[in-house]
C-alpha cells in the first residue's frame, strides 16, 4: 500500500442549531439528537456581546450533558472592511469577544464569515480589500495570543471578495498569519461552479470543512445525495489534503422546510458523509473514489430524503439566487474575471451601482 492509498477517517461534527432549526429539538435536546444521529461534536454560533455568565455556563454544561463537545464556533464578521474607522474598530472588538467566547466554550477554532460584499461597489475594491487584510491581521494577532485559529469561509455570493479557492488563497497570503486558515464549504463551491480539483490551491491550509450537497443554483445546504454536487470528488480532494492533519469535518445541512424530519435527515447525512470519506481516495492515486454513495451524476445517487424531489431547505418561495445563469465565477464583480481582480486589479475602482 502506498501513502496515497491511506484513508482518512475523521470524527464528524454537525452545525446542530442550524440542522434542527424550527424543529421540536431545541437547545440541549438538539445537541443530544445530534449525538444520537452520529455526530461526535458540534459547531455553534452564539452572540457573545452582552451574553450573561449564566448563559455561558449553560452552554458549557449543555455540551457536556449531550456528549457533544463544541470544537468550533461561527463568527459573522461583516464590518471588518467597513471604510468608516469607528464601525471597523467596533466590529474588530466584537469579533474578539466572539473569540473569547470560543475559548470559554472549550473550542480552539473560530470560523469567520466576511461581509465586505455589503459595501462592494460603493467603495473602491482595492481599498476594501486592504482594510479587510489589515483588520484580519489584528484579529489574527489576538487569536495567536488566545491560542486559537481562524478559518475563513468562502461565500457563494457574486460580490463577495472571497468566493472561491483562488481568492481565499490570496486572502490568506496577504494576511500572512499562521493563525489564519481556510474553511471549505462544498455547497458554496458548487453554487459558484467551482470544481473540487481547484481545492489544490489551498493545499496544506484547509482547517475546517462544511460538507453538504447543493442544487447548483442558489444558496442552500442539502443532505448528501439529494443534489447535484460531485461529493465523491470533494471527499477525494479533501482526504488527499488533510490526511495526517487535525482538520475538522462538519455536516452542514438545513434548516429544513420539513423540520419534523430533521432527525432522520441529519442521521442520513452524517452516515452518508462518513461513508464518502471512509471510501474516499486521493484522486491522484488512480483510485475509483471508494465505495461511498455515488454523487458524480452516474446512476442513482444514494438519496437521503426518501426519494422524489430533492429535499428543499430554503422554505419555498423565491430563492435567494447567488450565481445561477452565466458562469458565476466570471461574474463576481459584474463581468470581468473576479479571480484576477479580487482586490481591484491595480487601480482602485468605484464601479457604483450596488448599494
Amino acid at each position: 500500500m502506498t501513502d496515497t492509498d491511506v484513508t482518512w477517517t475523521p470524527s464528524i461534527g454537525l452545525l446542530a442549531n442550524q440542522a434542527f432549526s424550527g424543529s421540536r429539538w431545541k437547545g440541549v435536546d438538539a445537541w443530544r439528537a445530534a449525538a444520537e444521529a452520529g455526530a461526535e461534536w458540534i459547531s455553534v454560533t452564539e452572540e457573545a456581546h452582552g451574553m450573561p455568565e449564566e448563559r455561558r455556563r449553560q452552554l458549557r454544561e449543555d455540551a457536556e450533558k449531550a456528549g457533544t463537545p463544541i470544537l468550533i464556533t461561527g463568527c459573522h464578521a461583516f464590518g471588518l472592511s467597513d471604510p468608516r474607522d469607528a464601525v471597523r474598530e467596533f466590529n474588530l472588538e466584537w469579533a474578539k469577544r466572539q473569540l473569547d467566547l470560543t475559548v470559554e466554550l472549550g473550542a480552539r477554532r473560530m470560523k469567520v464569515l466576511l461581509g465586505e460584499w455589503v459595501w462592494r461597489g460603493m467603495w473602491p475594491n482595492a481599498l476594501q480589500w486592504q482594510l479587510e487584510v489589515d483588520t484580519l491581521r489584528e484579529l489574527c494577532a489576538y487569536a495567536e495570543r488566545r491560542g486559537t485559529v481562524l478559518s475563513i469561509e468562502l461565500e457563494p455570493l457574486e460580490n463577495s471578495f472571497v468566493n472561491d479557492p483562488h481568492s481565499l488563497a490570496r486572502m490568506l497570503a496577504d494576511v500572512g498569519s499562521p493563525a489564519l486558515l481556510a474553511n471549505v464549504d462544498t455547497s458554496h463551491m458548487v453554487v459558484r461552479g467551482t470544481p473540487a480539483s481547484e481545492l489544490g490551491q489551498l493545499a496544506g491550509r484547509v482547517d475546517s470543512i462544511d460538507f453538504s450537497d447543493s442544487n447548483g443554483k442558489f444558496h442552500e445546504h442539502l443532505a448528501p445525495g439529494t443534489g447535484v454536487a460531485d461529493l465523491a470528488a470533494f471527499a477525494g480532494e479533501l482526504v488527499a489534503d488533510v490526511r495526517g492533519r487535525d482538520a475538522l469535518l462538519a455536516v452542514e445541512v438545513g434548516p429544513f422546510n420539513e423540520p419534523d424530519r430533521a432527525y432522520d435527515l441529519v442521521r442520513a447525512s452524517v452516515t452518508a458523509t462518513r461513508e464518502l470519506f471512509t471510501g474516499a481516495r486521493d484522486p491522484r492515486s488512480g483510485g475509483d473514489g471508494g465505495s461511498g454513495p455515488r454523487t458524480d451524476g452516474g446512476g442513482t445517487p444514494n438519496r437521503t430524503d426518501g426519494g422524489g424531489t430533492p429535499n428543499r431547505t430554503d422554505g419555498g418561495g423565491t430563492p435567494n439566487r447567488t450565481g445561477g445563469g452565466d458562469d458565476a465565477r466570471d461574474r463576481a464583480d459584474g463581468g470581468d474575471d473576479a479571480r484576477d481582480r479580487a482586490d481591484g486589479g491595480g487601480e482602485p475602482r468605484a464601479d457604483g451601482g450596488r448599494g
Side-chain angles (χ1 to χ4, degrees), residues 47-346:
E47 176 55 66
H49 183 71
M51 180 184 289
E53 175 54 36
E54 299 79 32
R55 174 60 176 162
R56 296 168 185 262
R57 183 169 57 252
Q58 179 188 0
L59 289 171
R60 295 192 296 269
E61 291 175 353
D62 284 354
E64 183 175 354
K65 290 176 184 176
T68 50
I70 299 169
L71 297 190
I72 188 170
T73 67
C75 174
H76 295 77
F78 285 0
L80 299 183
S81 64
D82 196 294
R84 296 164 294 182
D85 292 346
V87 176
R88 193 169 63 259
E89 290 167 5
F90 171 84
N91 278 272
L92 175 59
E93 290 304 312
W94 177 85
K96 288 179 179 179
R97 300 294 79 77
Q98 293 294 120
L99 198 146
D100 290 340
L101 177 62
T102 300
V103 175
E104 286 185 45
L105 295 178
R108 284 294 179 267
R109 291 176 171 91
M110 184 171 81
K111 181 174 66 175
V112 179
L113 292 76
L114 302 176
E116 76 290 321
W117 45 269
V118 174
W119 289 112
R120 189 172 183 185
M122 284 260 325
W123 305 90
N125 287 348
L127 169 64
Q128 270 199 278
W129 180 274
Q130 192 58 49
L131 289 173
E132 192 92 83
V133 167
D134 292 344
T135 313
L136 277 173
R137 282 175 181 160
E138 293 187 57
L139 185 59
C140 285
Y142 188 73
E144 288 188 65
R145 293 196 295 273
R146 297 302 322 257
T148 56
V149 172
L150 306 178
S151 292
I152 297 294
E153 181 172 8
L154 55 87
E155 294 295 326
L157 303 170
E158 291 186 16
N159 55 343
S160 177
F161 280 137
V162 176
N163 57 20
D164 62 12
H166 175 85
S167 53
L168 179 49
R170 186 175 188 176
M171 179 63 75
L172 298 180
D174 283 4
V175 174
S177 169
L180 191 66
L181 294 168
N183 169 270
V184 170
D185 188 308
T186 57
S187 175
H188 293 182
M189 287 184 62
V190 176
V191 171
R192 296 300 302 168
T194 307
S197 58
E198 292 204 14
L199 287 172
Q201 298 180 63
L202 296 170
R205 290 171 289 180
V206 176
D207 184 64
S208 61
I209 302 157
D210 292 344
F211 198 76
S212 65
D213 215 326
S214 170
N215 59 50
K217 297 178 181 179
F218 53 87
H219 187 192
E220 64 175 349
H221 297 276
L222 299 175
T226 66
V228 301
D230 186 352
L231 293 181
F234 279 105
E237 290 286 345
L238 290 165
V239 163
D241 182 54
V242 304
R243 181 180 57 243
R245 290 193 290 111
D246 185 27
L248 292 181
L249 172 64
V251 172
E252 180 179 7
V253 290
F256 300 108
N257 69 336
E258 296 180 272
D260 287 342
R261 297 185 59 214
Y263 177 82
D264 291 337
L265 290 165
V266 166
R267 186 176 184 85
S269 298
V270 172
T271 299
T273 299
R274 181 170 285 113
E275 289 176 353
L276 276 163
F277 278 86
T278 299
R281 295 186 181 183
D282 183 342
R284 290 167 288 278
S285 70
D288 62 1
S291 57
R294 290 191 62 119
T295 57
D296 59 358
T300 302
N302 181 21
R303 302 191 64 83
T304 60
D305 64 350
T309 302
N311 183 57
R312 298 186 59 80
T313 60
D314 62 353
T318 303
N320 177 23
R321 299 190 64 86
T322 59
D326 297 337
D327 185 355
R329 292 179 59 229
D330 294 332
R331 300 177 60 244
D333 66 348
D336 294 336
D337 188 354
R339 296 179 63 212
D340 295 328
R341 305 181 60 254
D343 67 350

